[in-house]
Amino acid sequence: MTSRTPVSAYIRTKNEARLIGEVVRAAQRAVDEVVIVDSGSTDETVAIAEAAGARIIHQEWLGNGSQKRVAEDACPSDWLFDLDADEIVSEELAKEIRALFANGTPAVTAFRTPMYFAPPRGAPWIGFGQQVRHKLYNKRHHRIPDHPVWDQFDVPPGAVIGTLKSPILHHAFRDTAHLVQKLNKNSSTRADNLRPKPYWILVVRILFAMPFYFAKRYFLDGFFRAGMDGFIFSSITAYGRWLRDVKMYEQHKSQSDNGDFSHIERSEDAPKAGGADR
């Protein structure tokens, strides 16, 4: 490695021209190389990323976790930085990561990495609604599951994990329509790949769970601090969570007609980390 930080960042893309240039350039402040694994973009994603200095790999879509496995194998460094195409490394985080490797490699095998939402308008929602992922990790110790839905690894018992203080800024949606589109896609992916909960649980959730989904977002996660935008965001994401129940109900009804759930994974066997819930 050169004097730069011995870390490779990887990003999965498909039609991510909106932010990919900024995402690549921000990541380069912290890592030695940025690897793009593109699954067939038809917009300017690849050209913009390449112009920004990223290395491009073309891979047909394999699933959320499986696509990241391809990226892990393509990165030369043991230390990896997992980014989505709408996640921007803050300058403070870049400095923090560089400092971690200034005198050698860290003694831990992964770092908890805070993320805050950056809405389409106004300042990032810092201080509430935090997401925590293990974005910076050593692939000799941790690997993303080879899975169609789950794309975050579980930390084994006894593993020593560090914590980063500075955040990734998650530009998760460009407007309300985009947010609804993403939640609709996510709920379909979950329903199609996980075994539905028992019928009676789904019925109860469909009838009564929506206010609880909203309350968790708005009060427990603190989005009331974002004013009207926080109320709207909490309402839409609660609907997205409820929509998953509805689609699982549909899946349950469809499969119960012939009693065959063999092609659907048992939800209790899935990894605990919910990377697809974004």
Side-chain angles (χ1 to χ4, degrees), residues 8-9 43 50 112 120 127 130-131 184 196 204 206 238 240 248-249:
S8 295
D43 63 4
E50 199 165 29
R112 296 182 186 90
Q130 183 187 81
Q131 304 166 285
N184 185 50
V204 170
I206 291 169
M248 283 189 167
Y249 170 83

Side-chain angles (χ1 to χ4, degrees), residues 7 11 21 35 48 55 90 100 116 130 163 166 208 212 219 250:
V7 179
I11 307 167
V35 175
I48 293 171
R55 177 161 62 93
S90 64
L100 287 173
Y116 289 107
Q130 183 187 81
T163 300
S166 304
F208 303 111
F212 296 96
F219 296 109
E250 291 179 337

Side-chain angles (χ1 to χ4, degrees), residues 119-167:
R121 297 164 300 279
W125 292 338
I126 302 294
F128 59 92
Q130 183 187 81
Q131 304 166 285
V132 177
R133 302 282 187 265
H134 296 93
K135 290 286 195 176
L136 181 62
Y137 65 97
N138 190 318
K139 69 180 178 182
R140 290 184 178 270
H141 298 270
H142 309 284
R143 294 297 301 269
I144 299 297
D146 188 5
H147 194 277
V149 179
W150 306 107
D151 64 355
Q152 300 292 307
F153 59 83
D154 284 333
V155 177
V160 181
I161 304 298
T163 300
L164 296 169
K165 297 179 181 178
S166 304

